[in-house]
Amino acid sequence: MIVDEKAPPPEPDRLGDAPHPRTTPRVLGHGAAEAEFLAAFNDGRLHHAWMMSGPRGVGKATLAWRLARFLLATPHHDDGLFAAPPPDSLDIAPDNPVARRMAALAEPRLFLLRRPWNEKTEKLASQITIDETRKLKGFFQLSAADGGRRAVIIDAADEMNTAAANAILKVLEEPPAHTTLFLVTHQPARLLPTIRSRCRMLRLSGLDPDDLIAALDQAGVTSTAPEVLHGLAQGSVGDAIALEHAGGPALYGQMVGLLATLPEMDRRAAQELAQDAASPERFELILTLFDRMLARLSLTGARNRPPAEIVPGEAETLMRLSPDLAAGRRWAARAEGLTARARRGRAVNLDPSLLILDMCLALARSP
């Protein structure tokens, strides 16, 4: 008998092929944020809402899951004579029943608010809707009787529509007892100021090279060019994993080599790059790397020195093409429209290879 088993729907709070944050055992590079939360917990000053902000892919959601796991698995502190000492870390053993239930999305005291999957269209919703936030009322009612802590993770809070955001604001204004909310946001400025003002902020930045390499190892990703990945991903583990799987380091080296042929432009090399843009994923990757390369050209002129070199020969090329502030400004102006034009062309089904070739030829024209 053949059983037709559908693949599970994609998870909107998971970045590409990276492990889901709930199954990632360690948070790397954010010790200060962990220490701040632990100190508030031990001092009895635990805020009812915490907002993790920072670039996409740096570990915000992983930290939110770690904090929620700690809260739900740590017994209430007893101030009596024989009380155990306060915890000195957020570590929870992976075989802890709470940790196991959370990994399986089966912990009754945890509510995960994220974009829903539409069974009819077989697509993820583009926003977190009011229907999803209304489920919180039932969650609070069902779990209120146990007297324990409860946690809500919103990933990502940026994706709430207006009605959903207003519903969450009401929860923040009158939080249920023993409930802590964790809001993950890539762009906090997009949230209502009243939501931001009711949260305690934990600002996370990109990982340094050592932490990024350790995070890649934790995710089971081995790179032959970790330094290149760090420079391209700007400290984002999620971006680094995506770039590694897509061959980003080699592609960026190819693009810098093409840039080095300016102002004449190696037409054959440009055609080879254009022919590599056949798939939508490859086309978007080339545009993304073009954006970063042009931004580095602008930065070189603005600072009168190149940023840390990502691939061999890049610094010399950047400095030759953008030696001063005036050149940096011209490259910045060029960067604003170059890849946007290619994306508009792709939106109306123009040939991606021709769009990339056109972009390369435009790049060769004197800025």
Side-chain angles (χ1 to χ4, degrees):
M1 179 179 179
I2 299 176
V3 179
D4 183 15
E5 295 185 357
K6 288 185 177 180
E11 297 187 90
D13 51 345
R14 177 176 180 173
L15 283 176
D17 296 324
H20 191 278
R22 68 177 179 272
T23 62
T24 303
R26 292 186 299 153
V27 174
L28 293 158
H30 304 306
E34 292 193 40
E36 182 177 341
F37 182 88
L38 184 60
F41 176 86
N42 287 333
D43 292 345
R45 298 181 291 103
L46 193 66
H47 200 274
H48 68 273
W50 296 75
M51 182 175 289
M52 274 62 67
S53 71
R56 188 180 296 272
V58 299
K60 302 184 302 297
T62 301
L63 178 62
W65 280 90
R66 179 168 169 81
L67 300 183
R69 186 163 49 240
F70 169 81
L71 275 185
L72 299 183
T74 302
H76 281 278
H77 183 62
D78 183 359
D79 293 326
L81 181 62
F82 301 103
D88 58 4
S89 85
L90 300 175
D91 292 341
I92 298 298
D95 60 350
N96 181 288
V98 171
R100 292 202 303 267
R101 290 195 298 268
M102 288 181 67
L105 292 179
E107 171 53 55
R109 292 179 296 145
L110 173 74
F111 187 93
L112 173 59
L113 182 60
R114 56 183 178 176
R115 287 185 290 130
W117 172 260
N118 189 316
E119 292 288 350
K120 293 182 179 179
T121 63
E122 295 189 346
K123 293 181 179 179
L124 286 167
S126 60
Q127 296 178 317
I128 296 175
T129 63
I130 185 61
D131 290 338
E132 294 301 304
T133 58
R134 285 177 178 147
K135 296 175 184 178
L136 276 170
K137 183 177 181 180
F139 167 73
F140 293 139
Q141 290 174 341
L142 288 173
S143 57
D146 63 16
R149 301 189 187 100
R150 293 169 293 194
V152 176
I153 296 176
I154 305 176
D155 189 5
D158 316 37
E159 296 169 346
M160 294 187 294
N161 64 20
T162 301
N166 286 327
I168 291 300
L169 178 58
K170 291 181 180 179
V171 175
L172 293 173
E173 290 173 338
E174 300 179 11
H178 311 302
T179 299
T180 305
L181 286 84
F182 300 97
L183 288 76
V184 176
T185 173
H186 317 303
Q187 296 177 296
R190 295 182 59 184
L191 298 174
L192 295 171
T194 43
I195 287 181
R196 298 199 304 269
S197 67
R198 285 166 172 79
C199 298
R200 184 163 171 178
M201 188 74 72
L202 294 176
R203 293 182 174 85
L204 309 186
S205 56
L207 304 187
D208 64 31
D210 290 341
D211 284 330
L212 182 71
I213 292 171
L216 290 174
D217 182 65
Q218 178 174 251
V221 176
T222 302
S223 173
T224 57
E227 295 82 6
V228 177
L229 274 183
H230 180 267
L232 290 177
Q234 301 171 338
S236 166
V237 182
D239 280 0
I241 292 173
L243 287 166
E244 175 63 27
H245 288 165
L251 179 59
Y252 187 73
Q254 178 184 352
M255 292 168 62
V256 170
L258 178 63
L259 189 71
T261 68
L262 294 181
E264 287 80 11
M265 174 70 70
D266 185 331
R267 297 295 183 93
R268 177 173 293 181
Q271 289 174 346
E272 290 177 358
L273 181 66
Q275 291 168 0
D276 192 21
S279 71
E281 295 79 13
R282 200 67 176 174
F283 176 79
E284 187 57 39
L285 177 61
I286 291 174
L287 294 189
T288 297
L289 294 181
F290 252 112
D291 279 333
R292 296 185 185 180
M293 187 170 66
L294 292 172
R296 291 169 67 80
L297 270 167
S298 304
L299 185 62
T300 298
R303 293 181 175 178
N304 200 27
R305 67 179 187 278
E309 190 171 73
I310 293 180
V311 295
E314 182 193 28
E316 180 182 352
T317 296
L318 295 178
M319 199 66 207
R320 176 173 64 82
L321 296 175
S322 188
D324 51 36
L325 181 58
R329 286 175 175 169
R330 289 195 296 269
W331 283 114
R334 178 65 59 84
E336 287 180 1
L338 202 59
T339 55
R341 177 182 173 184
R343 287 188 172 95
R344 288 195 299 270
R346 193 70 191 98
V348 294
N349 294 321
L350 295 183
D351 187 302
S353 297
L354 293 180
L355 290 170
I356 295 297
L357 184 59
D358 177 71
M359 189 169 62
C360 291
L361 295 177
L363 190 69
R365 291 192 279 270
S366 178

